[in-house]
Amino acid sequence: QGQLVESGGALVRPGDSLRLSCAAFGFTLEDYAVGWFRQVPGKVREGLSCISATVGSTYYADSVKGRFAISRDNAKNMVYLQMTSLTVNDTARYSCAIDLISRYENGCGKYSENYDHWGQGTQVTVTS
């Protein structure tokens, strides 16, 4: 089966920007809805954003709306999460996931249970 690999995490300062990448091996990301999530130890995993498989419709959680942007580069078989205006509250491990069974025709799921295959994540740390 395939694999998802996240990259781009780093230690940054408040106000900085980062672009996270989700690369797929053995999957064609264009065929699936893709979600970005984050989690800190002892806390519930938080859905941040997702993009649909067909029309490319997107969803953003209130916590990141206006600061984060999800996009696809189908030629590179990648999905990105552009993050700006980072704060210490954005510190977490960020993971991407795909909806393998196509739960939605024109949308994407907001929650972890809407996805079936996950990457291991990349760490983002925001410190002053």
Side-chain angles (χ1 to χ4, degrees):
Q1 60 178 300
Q3 185 179 14
L4 301 177
V5 180
E6 302 91 341
S7 62
L11 190 152
V12 297
R13 302 302 182 192
D16 283 355
S17 298
L18 281 175
R19 188 181 74 165
L20 305 183
S21 299
C22 177
F25 303 89
F27 299 109
T28 300
L29 284 183
E30 185 178 11
D31 295 338
Y32 304 103
V34 179
W36 280 100
F37 297 79
R38 67 186 179 191
Q39 190 170 29
V40 299
K43 301 293 184 180
V44 65
R45 184 160 48 201
E46 179 185 13
L48 305 176
S49 182
C50 63
I51 185 167
S52 72
T54 54
V55 298
S57 60
T58 58
Y59 157 82
Y60 296 96
D62 289 342
S63 60
V64 304
K65 192 174 299 182
R67 298 190 298 122
F68 291 9
I70 191 170
S71 62
R72 293 181 181 270
D73 187 336
N74 292 330
K76 296 181 179 179
N77 202 26
M78 288 187 175
V79 169
Y80 304 104
L81 186 69
Q82 179 67 50
M83 308 186 297
T84 62
S85 301
L86 289 167
T87 76
V88 294
N89 293 326
D90 295 315
T91 295
R93 191 164 188 86
Y94 287 69
S95 300
C96 62
I98 58 174
D99 176 5
L100 285 175
I101 65 173
S102 301
R103 295 168 172 83
Y104 305 95
E105 181 177 356
N106 298 311
C108 54
K110 301 177 182 179
Y111 306 106
S112 297
E113 58 262 37
N114 304 139
Y115 298 89
D116 311 289
H117 194 84
W118 296 76
Q120 294 188 15
T122 185
Q123 180 68 35
V124 173
T125 302
V126 186
T127 62
S128 60

